[in-house]
Amino acid sequence: MKHFAAFLEAILLTPSRNQKIAHMVRYFRDAPDPDRGYALAVLTGNLSIANVKAALLKDIVLQKVDPVLFGMSYDYVGDLAETIGLIWPDHDRKDLPTLSGLILELEAADKNRLPGIIAGHLSSATPTERWAIIKLATGNLRVGVSERLAKTALAEFGGKTLDEIEKIWHGLECPYTDLFQWLEGRGPAPEIHHHRTFHPLMLSHPVDEQKDFGNLNPSEFQAEWKWDGIRVQLVLGEGEKAMFSRTGDNIGHTFPDLMESLSGSAVLDGELLVGPDFTPLSFNALQQRLNRKTVTRKMQNEYPPFVRLYDILFDGAEDVRGLPLVERRARLESWIARNPQTKLDLSQIIPYESWEQLRGIRLQGAEEQGHEGVMLKHKDSPYVPGRPKGLWFKWKRDPRLIDAILMYAQRGHGKRSSFYSDYTFGVWKGNEIVPVGKAYFGFTDEELLQIDKWVRHHTISRFGPVREVSKELVFEVAFDSANASSRHRSGVALRFPRIHRIRWDKPAQEADRLETLNSFIE
Amino acid sequence: MPVERAIITHAHGDHARSGHGHVLATPETIGLMKLRYGEDSAMHWQELPYGQSVDVNGVTVSLHPAGHILGSAQVLLESKDRRIVVSGDYKRFSDGTCPAFTPLKCDIFVTEATFGLPVFQHPDPHGEIRKLLTSMKNFPEQSHMVAVYALGKAQRVISLIRQEGYNDPIYLHGAMVNMCDFYQRNGVDLGELRKATGLPKGALKGCLVLAPPSTLKEPWSRRMTDPVLGMASGWMTVKQRARQYGIELPLVISDHADWNELCQTIRETEAGEIWVTHGREDALVHWCETQGLKAAPLHLQGREDEEEA
Ligand SMILES: [Zn+2]
Ligand SMILES: [Zn+2]
């Protein structure tokens, strides 16, 4: 536990990305199995143990510490978990369990006994160990490491490429012993059963009309509509069916009507939409069906789901990701002919000759059908996880939309004064996020409640009425124009920014970059 | 504020100023004051070694080790019917650079309260130093730059590092060279020290550099390639604070008593009346009251900045 606590502290406090990677590589090298595997699960948010509320630990502390002194201390420190860790009054000299020992103990314990078990260990720990134990036990593990950064460290540790790690990542399980053996050259690559696994999606870059169209040959690209739903991956076969969101969350249970209808064996990429007879309704309609625990008959009838297929990753058990797009498209068409479906259809290919012609089609589609834009995919492109350069592009209807990350939230005024309703958002600049603007409206009252709750659960520090939140929530921000500004750290000022949509489904690392925003400067 | 007669507990800027008429202090404190403010920064100097006493207007004054920095003293004031102790800054952890704090029995105890909240429970400083040495071993390609207050903390940290067996030269920001020399002249062995300024770029790779906190972001530090930034201070207890300062390697090494030591010391003096100053008066006064002690906050001028802690 000592080793892990020191590691966690170093990761939290190191601002530099490279140094964070160096700390991880060193830890993976020095820590034994299965501790390092559990640490990896902790860092990447893939550990689910029953959590203990910090308030329960506070009750234990308050049996021993004067409440007035506790109150003053909490005011000073500003974070309940850290206050508890620092003020902890009992100290014995018992040995602490290892990280894996502790996690297994917490997993096995009856929920009512958890606070007592944790209290016992806190008494045997140093302040930094107490801090780490409380972070683990309360499930508050945000230390500024994204899953991607952890994977980068794994790749560096084992002398592999990030792509090699990505391809198997979602088939791995804690404590990752087979992964570490392979990375250390002591074992074969872990075997992944694709039918139980999410395979990271291939993503696109926004097209830069001035720069890109000069270099791109229209005949080498396939165009499709960009549908305004949710990107999903269907994993079918061996008696199993799953539907993953782009972040790898299994959301199939929310759409039983869709899942029941599916048959065959494949891994498919598509857009989840709702509407009768394959005619999509608005994104708002789709939202009625997202994040629901139970789905009524009425909902199923009003908002029938379907998936519009873009691509095929596995045809049966065969990995076809290495084939060029045109061949995968032929495979997809043949698969659907062999496996007739009631709730799947194919994304249409838009015929066009020149970029100018496609521009016209795109504008007409936006006007008449409300299309968001078109996708351009290189006909030779293999299916590469992540966002490879030069293969797939999105050409959006409204260029003045960016995906930005919520950084700070502040209480509003008047009737909103009890809600966090003023948002500062930012975009990526290198490996850091820089603030680019503030928005106060564009969301419904219901969404305000949801964001407010999210903010309260993801606060990492507080300055008066302002909360800094963990950088996880993506907003699609609409704005009228962008201007260069020397008064803003980002160098750009947005005119009239508003929250266009809350992207609960989108991981922060896929938010836009400052370069994208700069390209809007007029 | 300059006064006619001053008894100075120790040479830190928030306790010792220039311009007093007559200064009574330990010889080490007077030496340090002359070094910092000049030979004529007081009209008259009166050295009073630990344990000896003088009579000032019918009150017997004596100075006793406070364990805070070289020369630091508690002031004991005795009249026929009363003993008053003014602690100045103090700590209870042993420190190779100055004599250890001696608890004194008294009727009124005036205590500092820099770390007067129960969240401050300072760990063993040797463990903190080992954390630094481990980081230096793990990242030999980088410089390690540790922020320390120039007087007291710097010398204590160096002494601790030497006790842990690190014998390479330690590099100093110019602002702390004087103080270290003074300690060495007073019999505190700090090993080989070198000036960190004026060296070619890259010369400090793998080296340990100590500098005052205010100079961390100054241009001279940019000459170091990708330094690991540390800070030795009691304030490093709170990780969020370390983060705000941009400190990657917080070393919780304090020259002040932590919460438990404040409480322990108050008990040991057996004083019935406690005056609390210099920090979290509210919390410590509250604690005294729960112990049945008469206590009051004493708001003094010139609260110290957080660097010296
Ligand atoms: Zn002092
Ligand atoms: Zn002081």
Side-chain angles (χ1 to χ4, degrees):
Chain A
M1 198 63 212
K2 185 174 255 9
H3 191 182
F4 174 71
F7 165 63
L8 205 63
E9 184 190 46
I11 289 276
L12 172 79
L13 294 179
T14 303
S16 128
R17 175 178 179 275
N18 287 346
Q19 194 75 357
K20 277 187 207 273
I21 292 175
H23 278 296
M24 282 189 271
V25 169
R26 172 167 299 280
Y27 183 82
F28 295 147
R29 199 191 69 198
D30 295 347
D33 285 321
D35 274 13
R36 57 183 174 176
Y38 280 101
L40 178 60
V42 165
L43 289 179
T44 53
N46 287 307
L47 188 73
S48 51
I49 46 174
N51 293 334
V52 174
K53 290 237 160 24
L56 281 176
L57 297 175
K58 179 181 160 190
D59 291 344
I60 297 179
V61 171
L62 284 184
Q63 290 164 16
K64 296 160 192 182
V65 175
D66 184 312
V68 175
L69 293 176
F70 186 89
M72 290 177 178
S73 298
Y74 181 22
D75 267 357
Y76 173 77
V77 175
D79 176 78
L80 184 58
E82 191 169 8
T83 309
I84 293 168
L86 289 172
I87 210 168
W88 196 260
D90 294 334
H91 308 285
D92 60 37
R93 286 168 182 279
K94 290 205 206 102
D95 284 336
L96 275 184
T98 59
L99 171 65
S100 48
L102 177 68
I103 289 170
L104 293 174
E105 187 183 8
L106 297 181
E107 267 177 351
D110 187 68
K111 186 137 197 194
N112 302 327
R113 287 190 50 238
L114 283 177
I117 293 174
I118 292 158
H121 292 318
L122 289 178
S123 298
S124 315
T126 64
T128 298
E129 288 164 353
R130 290 200 293 270
W131 168 78
I133 291 172
I134 293 175
K135 268 188 144 349
L136 262 181
T138 57
N140 170 17
L141 287 159
R142 288 180 291 273
V143 287
V145 170
S146 65
E147 192 171 279
R148 192 177 169 82
L149 197 65
K151 285 185 253 183
T152 308
L154 288 169
E156 189 171 319
F157 170 59
K160 311 285 179 198
T161 64
L162 183 56
D163 201 34
E164 285 175 282
I165 308 283
E166 292 276 14
K167 269 197 172 154
I168 57 168
W169 177 253
H170 285 275
L172 300 171
E173 271 170 26
C174 184
Y176 305 98
T177 327
D178 52 351
L179 170 70
F180 283 112
Q181 285 205 337
W182 172 58
L183 294 177
E184 288 178 330
R186 296 189 289 113
E191 215 174 292
I192 301 307
H193 302 280
H194 79 267
H195 282 118
R196 266 166 262 144
T197 311
F198 169 68
H199 307 273
L201 300 180
M202 177 161 175
L203 305 167
S204 61
H205 288 274
V207 82
D208 183 331
E209 295 186 29
Q210 266 112 55
K211 229 169 61 196
D212 291 333
F213 284 142
N215 302 325
L216 302 179
N217 180 349
S219 69
E220 287 174 359
F221 283 83
Q222 168 180 313
E224 296 168 63
W225 292 112
K226 186 176 190 311
W227 294 95
D228 195 12
I230 283 188
R231 185 90 178 272
V232 290
Q233 181 172 88
L234 295 169
V235 178
L236 311 172
E238 293 174 11
E240 310 212 17
K241 296 176 197 175
M243 179 162 70
F244 295 101
S245 71
R246 60 194 292 160
T247 46
D249 296 322
N250 193 339
I251 55 168
H253 57 89
T254 325
F255 296 89
D257 38 353
L258 169 67
M259 299 311 287
E260 271 162 28
S261 77
L262 301 172
S263 63
S265 171
V267 177
L268 305 166
D269 184 346
E271 193 88 8
L272 174 65
L273 298 160
V274 297
D277 306 321
F278 294 108
T279 310
L281 297 168
S282 70
F283 188 81
N284 267 344
L286 172 59
Q287 246 174 347
Q288 301 303 314
R289 288 213 47 177
L290 290 173
N291 303 323
R292 299 248 174 209
K293 283 224 172 71
T294 53
V295 195
T296 61
R297 241 327 123 200
K298 184 163 168 281
M299 288 241 131
Q300 295 188 15
N301 290 335
E302 245 174 276
Y303 306 114
F306 65 95
V307 173
R308 184 147 286 167
L309 297 173
Y310 294 132
D311 214 325
I312 185 165
L313 287 72
F314 284 77
D315 185 356
E318 186 192 349
D319 186 348
V320 295
R321 286 176 292 180
L323 299 180
L325 174 64
V326 276
E327 287 181 38
R328 290 202 309 280
R329 175 74 191 195
R331 292 278 197 136
L332 179 61
E333 287 172 9
S334 130
W335 184 87
I336 206 150
R338 280 180 284 127
N339 299 277
Q341 307 281 339
T342 55
K343 290 187 176 294
L344 300 182
D345 79 345
L346 289 175
S347 156
Q348 255 187 339
I349 294 174
I350 308 170
Y352 71 102
E353 304 275 321
S354 68
W355 297 130
E356 263 327 288
Q357 187 193 0
L358 186 59
R359 183 191 303 278
I361 296 172
R362 184 180 66 96
L363 292 176
Q364 194 182 356
E367 219 136 276
E368 291 169 10
Q369 269 105 38
H371 280 305
E372 241 202 325
V374 293
M375 298 295 303
L376 303 171
K377 301 175 180 174
H378 199 285
K379 288 177 179 169
D380 289 339
S381 59
Y383 195 97
V384 187
R387 204 186 293 274
K389 286 221 163 80
L391 297 180
W392 288 10
F393 297 92
K394 56 185 167 207
W395 193 5
K396 272 197 186 181
R397 172 186 64 182
D398 182 355
R400 293 184 184 86
L401 282 178
I402 50 157
D403 287 330
I405 304 158
L406 177 61
M407 302 179 74
Y408 305 96
Q410 186 172 356
R411 282 176 198 274
H413 299 284
K415 77 179 168 87
R416 279 175 165 185
S417 61
S418 54
F419 296 105
Y420 286 90
S421 62
D422 297 4
Y423 309 115
T424 302
F425 49 85
V427 294
W428 292 102
K429 178 187 180 187
N431 294 305
E432 53 164 353
I433 301 170
V434 288
V436 292
K438 278 188 172 196
Y440 322 97
F441 58 94
F443 36 85
T444 64
D445 285 352
E446 196 182 333
E447 285 170 334
L448 172 61
L449 291 180
Q450 291 171 341
I451 305 173
D452 180 74
K453 186 170 166 210
W454 190 93
V455 165
R456 290 167 197 274
H457 280 88
H458 293 79
T459 300
I460 55 176
S461 56
R462 287 183 288 178
F463 324 90
V466 179
R467 290 185 179 218
E468 180 180 5
V469 295
S470 55
K471 311 300 176 295
E472 291 172 46
L473 182 57
V474 176
F475 288 153
E476 192 173 73
V477 175
F479 55 95
D480 283 4
S481 60
N483 299 296
S485 160
S486 56
R487 287 190 303 115
H488 292 73
R489 189 150 76 86
S490 59
V492 53
L494 302 183
R495 196 179 139 80
F496 201 44
R498 62 262 182 199
I499 309 295
H500 190 243
R501 189 193 294 176
I502 308 160
R503 294 300 303 261
W504 301 105
D505 60 311
K506 191 158 199 172
Q509 76 219 41
E510 289 177 18
D512 277 312
R513 311 191 57 81
L514 189 57
E515 298 90 80
T516 311
L517 194 51
N518 284 335
S519 68
F520 291 130
I521 293 179
E522 286 147 22
Chain B
M1 197 200 324
V3 295
E4 185 45 43
R5 283 194 79 94
I7 304 173
I8 304 294
T9 59
H10 66 288
H12 275 148
D14 55 328
H15 300 262
R17 295 182 183 191
S18 65
H20 296 307
H22 181 280
V23 165
L24 176 69
T26 62
E28 296 84 355
T29 296
I30 288 177
L32 284 165
M33 283 180 73
K34 287 178 177 170
L35 194 64
R36 295 187 78 173
Y37 304 122
E39 291 283 335
D40 51 4
S41 57
M43 306 272 279
H44 186 258
W45 303 100
Q46 185 181 4
E47 294 188 347
L48 182 63
Y50 291 129
Q52 299 182 16
S53 53
V54 289
D55 183 277
V56 180
N57 302 335
V59 178
T60 309
V61 178
S62 57
L63 301 177
H64 304 268
H68 174 58
I69 64 168
L70 186 62
S72 66
Q74 314 172 67
V75 183
L76 170 61
L77 305 169
E78 293 171 281
S79 64
K80 268 199 280 328
D81 52 352
R82 256 211 237 184
R83 283 164 64 88
I84 301 177
V85 171
V86 180
S87 75
D89 292 345
Y90 67 98
K91 76 165 171 298
R92 306 298 302 266
F93 254 110
S94 77
D95 178 339
T97 67
C98 64
F101 179 93
T102 19
L104 302 168
K105 304 235 185 309
C106 56
D107 304 300
I108 297 178
F109 183 48
V110 183
T111 182
E112 67 133 318
T114 307
F115 291 112
L117 278 175
V119 283
F120 292 108
Q121 305 181 34
H122 301 324
D124 178 1
H126 293 274
E128 300 297 290
I129 292 294
R130 284 194 288 271
K131 196 165 121 182
L132 167 65
L133 296 179
T134 303
S135 176
M136 291 178 63
K137 208 170 76 205
N138 288 346
F139 299 99
E141 295 297 305
Q142 291 170 278
S143 313
H144 279 66
M145 183 145 124
V146 179
V148 289
Y149 194 68
L151 171 56
K153 184 63 61 62
Q155 296 76 26
R156 176 165 179 232
V157 164
I158 295 170
S159 152
L160 282 165
I161 290 170
R162 298 305 186 203
Q163 289 171 45
E164 289 300 319
Y166 181 84
N167 293 317
D168 292 356
I170 293 173
Y171 291 81
L172 303 179
H173 182 273
M176 46 187 51
V177 173
N178 266 347
M179 306 289 172
C180 289
D181 287 349
F182 184 88
Y183 267 65
Q184 305 240 55
R185 284 202 301 279
N186 278 266
V188 180
D189 183 13
L190 301 177
E192 190 185 346
L193 305 176
R194 290 185 189 162
K195 255 183 129 162
T197 35
L199 297 170
K201 197 165 181 153
L204 292 171
K205 196 172 107 172
C207 296
L208 176 61
V209 183
L210 302 185
S214 56
T215 67
L216 278 198
K217 309 251 146 90
E218 278 179 8
W220 74 283
S221 69
R222 285 186 218 125
R223 298 191 67 77
M224 271 169 264
T225 28
D226 209 5
V228 176
L229 293 188
M231 182 185 279
S233 162
W235 301 117
M236 291 294 104
T237 299
V238 181
K239 296 199 197 310
Q240 199 56 40
R241 201 179 263 246
R243 247 185 113 184
Q244 281 162 9
Y245 287 178
I247 297 297
E248 306 161 53
L249 191 66
L251 306 173
V252 184
I253 300 178
S254 168
D255 287 342
H256 293 264
D258 70 3
W259 173 260
N260 294 324
E261 291 164 348
L262 290 170
C263 297
Q264 175 205 342
T265 306
I266 288 171
R267 284 199 202 94
E268 285 175 3
T269 63
E270 295 175 12
E273 194 169 337
I274 312 296
W275 297 353
V276 184
T277 185
H278 203 296
R280 288 302 297 240
E281 294 88 357
D282 52 355
L284 201 56
V285 165
H286 173 84
W287 178 83
C288 288
E289 283 164 353
T290 64
Q291 304 298 303
L293 297 170
K294 209 171 139 196
L298 179 67
H299 297 290
L300 292 184
Q301 281 202 322
R303 284 278 302 276
E304 96 197 71
D305 62 20
E306 288 193 351
E307 288 183 359
E308 182 248 312

